[in-house]
């Protein structure tokens, strides 16, 4: 089975007529996959290529249908397979005419004249018409046609030269004349036709062709004939009997600027770039300003320069400079002059200049470095047509069009890790200054965000001040008001701030407003919903703007629809909004987070009633419908919520604290739970109900941390302030704390009062929590048999409620009671059930507790070691050194009871 693309698209069985492919889109799918033979083409790229960048809603289903039909038609030698993230056509190169053509042309270069002529003739005979003649899509043609057409013309030129050498000049004239008619300004082609005419004795005709070409070059391009065409003209005038155009007549420019001597690291990136050598094409280094894209490009370019014997071209396109971006025509003229074309003038048309540039690079193996590109429009005219050339582009933008239409390989350049950043500082300062101050070096790297530009600037400042310590500079940079200014070169005014300013000024209006509004957000990451709240728009609009900002490398999309900014970018955005009255935007942001946090809290808490009614109800917000979705949202937003506690008014602060408390109660982070409750209490002063709720939570957390006297004190305050449902929980919590401290009579009285209140209010979650407290209080009194009743009742109530960390806690209590009554096997099963549940609801504290108690009960030592290590890992994550004292006390009582019963 063969696939033909050099003409109409055909699928041809061996020795048979082409199969009918009536559907245009099906032909396009086959062509797109065949042109990437043995490579996976993503579904998104296929849709873009086949539907010309605008696939309709039903396109995905249609694509699947076309793939299914093509599979039915393919023979045994070609296979269309599904491979994430798309499809691949698997087969041999000779089964696709494009690759047969390329291989025949490549095999002709070093062959003798006779063999080369045969191979080139066979290659050109594969062309049955224009490339993809019956596939109208623009993007598919743009992605491949220019390179193939360039290679076809190069083959025509080389065949003409070889035929002349073989004494078959008349045949050469026939093949060359048609090509010259279509490409009259392609000088290598004209030169070969002139020499072929000369060999057939048609000197006048050759000179007339030269005259017409020279006039056309002057009129349309404003240039004189280049060296190769002038050499052919001279050969005709002097009647040179054996002139042959030299494939090495183009000069070998070496335009690479010197590389930075302090370059360090980037081994992974350099290795990825090395992979481009095997399949010359286009590489794109994309990343934020100051991250070292140019330094990386030059390091690699110098390292591989010897792989490109025909030279290296370099141009700074100034896409993000203070000056205007470099005009593409100016860049082309510079390249043409470097390639030996004299008297090139800017008056020539862009397309004609680009065509002449591609002609000069035909048959050459050259490296072209296009630095600091702003757009694909700046890059595309500078791309060689020759498949033997390699192009390396650097840009702050992702240049997605370059990937889609030209098949560029993208490499994101990120900030330096701590070790590599330390090496960069040591290279600039010397190890005698960095090694004595390792802590200061680490903090300096953090203050620089690992950004090479910032690191080089501070390194230069320290190098010029040999008496300064690194710690002295760190102390200065801690001031956020002046930190950005410190990363500026005073002589030139260049630095991190000016680089960010240029990128900001280039943003479209909506994206610029979005970026500026980030200065009102205290965190370093944001999603489209929070951005929508700041801007007072819907999430779709905000998402579009955020993607535009991210494409300029001012943000990084860490996960889908979540954007991270470096700390220096955060400081820059704060400067942009300094002095403005943006309180309404800040209030909208706070109300957005409060609205969603309260919805998440209701899914986690024993008290699901709303704690807030936002003044500004958000236009867009994520719909949280399950315990898991609530926990996932809190995990993503925890850091932002903690920061927002510091910027809101008192009411919003204690409300947000209550929401965070529910999250910490579920994941077992007791230390942060106490801190958040205390922040909320300071803001809620005078609001009895709010204070009572926060005191209940603080008391419970203190009890679980083993700070029992403080837990009793705060729980008693809660009882004095509470009423209604809150009073029930306050009394239950106080009862538990009293029981742990040995005041059993008072404890049971408080818990019975709590049970009466929760039953009267019909609050099942609160009832289950109180029953659990009662079982624990009885367990503390060594009344395990009596504790069985409330422990089982708590589990029965939880069975009718959604899964929660409270249910996991009740299973831990029930397992402890069973263990204390000597029912070890039942206890182990209960603990194992609890471990599964705690893991499902992400209650890390109880996951660790279950691991520890299961390790004690299991007879298999290897399994016990694994459980203990899992618990230690979680405790390290939560900042817990050992098992909380209240639980240790409970376990010790359990063991004493077991001992007595035995």
């Amino acid at each position: 089975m063969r696939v033909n693309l050099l003409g109409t698209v055909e699928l041809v069985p061996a020795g048979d007529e082409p199969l009918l492919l009536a559907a245009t889109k099906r032909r396009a799918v086959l062509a797109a996959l065949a042109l990437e033979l043995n490579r996976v083409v993503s579904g998104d790229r296929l849709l873009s290529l086949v539907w010309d960048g605008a696939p309709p809603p039903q396109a995905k289903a249609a694509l699947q249908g076309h793939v299914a039909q093509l599979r039915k038609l393919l023979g045994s030698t070609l296979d269309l397979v599904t491979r994430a993230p798309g499809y691949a056509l698997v087969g041999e190169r000779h089964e696709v005419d494009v690759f047969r053509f390329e291989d025949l042309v490549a095999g002709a270069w070093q062959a003798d004249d006779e063999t080369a002529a045969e191979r080139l003739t066979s290659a050109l005979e594969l062309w049955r018409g224009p490339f993809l003649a019956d596939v109208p899509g623009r993007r598919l043609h743009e992605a491949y046609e220019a390179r193939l057409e360039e290679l076809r013309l190069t083959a025509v030129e080389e065949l003409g030269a070889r035929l002349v050498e073989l004494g078959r000049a008349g045949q050469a004239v026939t093949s060359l004349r048609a090509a010259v008619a279509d490409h009259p300004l392609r000088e290598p082609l004209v030169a070969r036709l002139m020499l072929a005419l000369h060999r057939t004795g048609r000197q006048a005709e050759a000179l007339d062709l030269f005259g017409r070409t020279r006039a056309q070059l002057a009129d349309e391009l404003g240039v004189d004939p280049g060296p190769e065409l002038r050499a052919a003209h001279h050969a005709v005038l002097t009647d040179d009997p054996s002139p042959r155009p030299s494939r090495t007549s183009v000069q070998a420019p070496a335009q690479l600027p010197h590389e930075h001597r302090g370059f360090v690291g980037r081994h992974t990136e350099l290795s990825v770039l090395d992979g481009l050598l095997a399949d010359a094409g286009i590489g794109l280094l994309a990343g934020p300003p100051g991250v070292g894209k140019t330094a990386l490009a030059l390091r690699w370019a110098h390292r591989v320069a010897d792989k490109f014997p025909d030279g290296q071209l370099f141009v700074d396109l100034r896409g993000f400079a203070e000056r205007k971006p470099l005009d593409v025509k100016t860049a082309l003229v510079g390249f043409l002059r470097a390639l030996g074309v004299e008297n090139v003038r800017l008056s020539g048309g862009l397309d004609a200049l680009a065509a002449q540039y591609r002609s000069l690079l035909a048959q050459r193996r050259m490296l072209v470095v296009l630095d600091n590109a702003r757009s694909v429009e700046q890059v595309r005219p500078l791309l060689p047509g020759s498949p033997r050339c390699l192009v390396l582009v650097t840009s702050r933008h992702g240049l997605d069009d370059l990937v889609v239409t030209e098949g560029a390989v993208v490499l994101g350049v990120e900030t330096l890790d701590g070790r590599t950043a330390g090496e960069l500082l040591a290279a600039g300062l010397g190890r005698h200054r960095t090694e004595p101050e390792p802590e200061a070096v680490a903090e300096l790297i953090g203050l620089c965000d690992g950004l090479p530009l910032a690191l080089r600037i501070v390194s230069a400042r320290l190098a010029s001040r040999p008496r300064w310590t690194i710690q002295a500079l760190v102390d200065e940079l801690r001031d956020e008001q002046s930190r950005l200014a410190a990363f500026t070169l005073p002589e030139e005014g260049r630095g991190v701030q000016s680089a960010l300013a240029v990128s900001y000024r280039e943003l479209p209006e909506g994206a610029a407003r979005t970026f500026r509004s980030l200065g009102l957000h205290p965190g370093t990451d944001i999603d489209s919903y929070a951005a929508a709240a700041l801007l007072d728009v819907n999430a779709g609009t905000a998402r579009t703007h955020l993607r535009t900002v991210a494409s300029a490398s001012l943000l990084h999309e860490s996960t889908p629809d979540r954007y991270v900014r470096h700390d220096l970018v955060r400081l820059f955005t704060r400067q942009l909004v300094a002095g403005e009255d943006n309180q309404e935007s800040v209030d909208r942001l706070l109300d957005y987070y409060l609205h969603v946090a309260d919805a998440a809290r209701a899914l986690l808490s024993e008290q699901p009633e709303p704690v807030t009614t936002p003044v500004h109800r958000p236009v867009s917000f994520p719909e949280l419908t399950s315990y898991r979705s609530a926990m996932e949202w809190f995990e993503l937003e925890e850091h932002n919520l903690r920061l927002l506690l510091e910027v809101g008014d008192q009411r919003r602060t204690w409300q947000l604290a209550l929401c965070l408390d529910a999250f910490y109660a579920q994941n077992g982070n007791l230390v942060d739970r106490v801190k958040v409750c205390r922040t909320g209490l300071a803001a809620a002063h005078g609001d009895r109900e709010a204070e009572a709720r926060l005191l209940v939570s603080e008391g419970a957390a203190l009890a679980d941390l083993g700070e029992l006297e403080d837990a009793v004190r705060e729980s008693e305050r809660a009882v004095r302030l509470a009423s209604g449902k809150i009073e029930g929980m306050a009394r239950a919590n106080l009862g538990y704390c009293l029981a742990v401290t040995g005041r059993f009579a008072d404890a049971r009285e408080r818990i019975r009062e709590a049970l009466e209140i929760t039953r009267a209010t019909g609050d099942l979650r609160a009832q289950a929590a109180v029953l659990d407290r009662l079982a624990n209080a009885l367990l503390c009194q060594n009344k395990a048999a009596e504790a069985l009743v409330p422990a089982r009742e708590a589990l029965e109530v939880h069975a009718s409620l959604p899964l929660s960390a409270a249910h996991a806690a009740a299973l831990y209590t029930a397992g402890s009671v069973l263990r204390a009554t000597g029912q070890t096997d039942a206890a182990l099963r209960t603990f194992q059930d609890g471990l599964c549940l705690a893991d499902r609801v992400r209650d890390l504290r109880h996951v660790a507790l279950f691991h520890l108690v299961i390790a004690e009960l299991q007879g298999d030592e290897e399994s016990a070691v694994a459980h203990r290590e899992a618990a230690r890992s979680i405790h390290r994550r939560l900042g817990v050194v050992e098992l909380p004292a209240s639980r240790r006390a409970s376990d010790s009582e359990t063991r004493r009871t077991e001992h007595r019963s035995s």
Side-chain angles (χ1 to χ4, degrees), residues 782-813:
N782 296 325
K783 296 181 179 180
E786 192 177 341
L788 274 173
V789 175
R792 285 170 175 164
E793 286 183 17
L795 290 179
E796 288 172 2
V797 175
H798 275 299
S800 65
L801 296 171
L803 296 180
S804 65
H807 193 171
L811 283 167
Y812 187 90
T813 300

Side-chain angles (χ1 to χ4, degrees), residues 130-205:
F131 173 68
L132 302 183
D134 55 350
V135 175
R138 176 181 59 85
R139 289 209 172 190
L140 197 53
H141 283 264
E142 285 181 350
Y144 303 96
E145 188 167 21
R147 180 179 62 82
L148 289 170
E149 179 63 15
E150 183 65 37
L151 188 59
R152 185 184 73 83
L153 291 172
T154 301
V156 171
E157 293 166 0
E158 184 67 9
L159 177 59
R162 299 296 185 119
L163 289 173
V164 168
E165 287 298 306
L166 291 168
R168 294 151 60 183
Q171 188 178 344
V173 168
T174 302
S175 63
L176 289 165
R177 193 186 294 278
V180 168
D182 291 333
H183 303 275
L185 298 181
R186 188 178 175 93
E187 294 186 47
L189 199 59
V190 175
R192 282 157 175 74
L193 179 55
M194 285 177 62
L195 295 174
L197 289 168
H198 172 56
R199 281 289 190 94
T200 59
R202 295 144 78 177
Q203 185 182 38
E205 194 172 341

Side-chain angles (χ1 to χ4, degrees), residues 296-314:
L296 173 59
L298 290 176
R299 163 54 64 99
W300 183 77
H302 279 286
R303 198 168 81 167
V304 301
D306 61 333
K307 308 289 185 185
F308 299 91
D310 295 312
Q312 307 90 42
L313 296 171
F314 177 92

Side-chain angles (χ1 to χ4, degrees), residues 98-126:
V98 165
F99 300 115
R100 289 203 307 281
F101 167 71
E102 289 181 347
D103 292 346
L104 284 166
V105 174
W109 295 126
Q110 304 304 323
D112 61 81
D113 290 336
E114 188 67 47
T115 303
E118 291 176 1
R119 290 174 178 172
L120 291 167
T121 300
S122 297
L124 292 168
E125 286 174 349
L126 293 171

Side-chain angles (χ1 to χ4, degrees), residues 635-748:
E635 287 166 359
L636 282 172
E637 299 290 359
E638 175 192 2
H639 181 65
N640 287 332
L641 296 174
R642 291 287 295 271
L643 292 172
L644 287 165
L645 287 173
E646 303 172 10
V647 302
D649 55 39
Q650 289 186 317
R651 178 182 60 83
R652 289 185 172 99
T653 297
W654 69 253
Q655 290 173 344
L656 202 53
L658 270 176
C659 296
L660 272 167
D661 166 66
F663 169 62
Y664 290 134
Q666 300 301 301
N667 80 348
N669 188 340
L670 299 172
V671 175
D672 282 336
R673 187 181 186 192
V674 171
K675 290 179 181 177
V676 162
C677 287
R678 288 175 176 170
T679 300
L681 281 167
H685 183 68
D687 188 321
R688 292 176 62 91
E689 181 180 353
E691 286 188 76
R693 293 180 73 163
L694 288 160
L695 285 166
V696 168
S697 294
E698 185 192 12
L702 288 169
D704 284 335
L705 281 169
E707 299 177 18
L708 302 177
E709 294 303 324
D710 290 342
V712 170
R713 184 188 67 249
E714 297 300 84
S715 298
E716 287 175 339
R717 285 181 61 198
V719 169
R720 289 195 297 270
L721 292 170
S723 61
K725 293 181 180 180
I726 305 300
E727 183 181 359
M729 289 308 304
R731 290 182 180 278
N733 205 54
L734 175 58
Y736 171 67
C737 295
L738 291 169
V740 174
T741 57
R743 297 156 65 179
F744 300 125
D746 287 345
R748 296 187 71 169

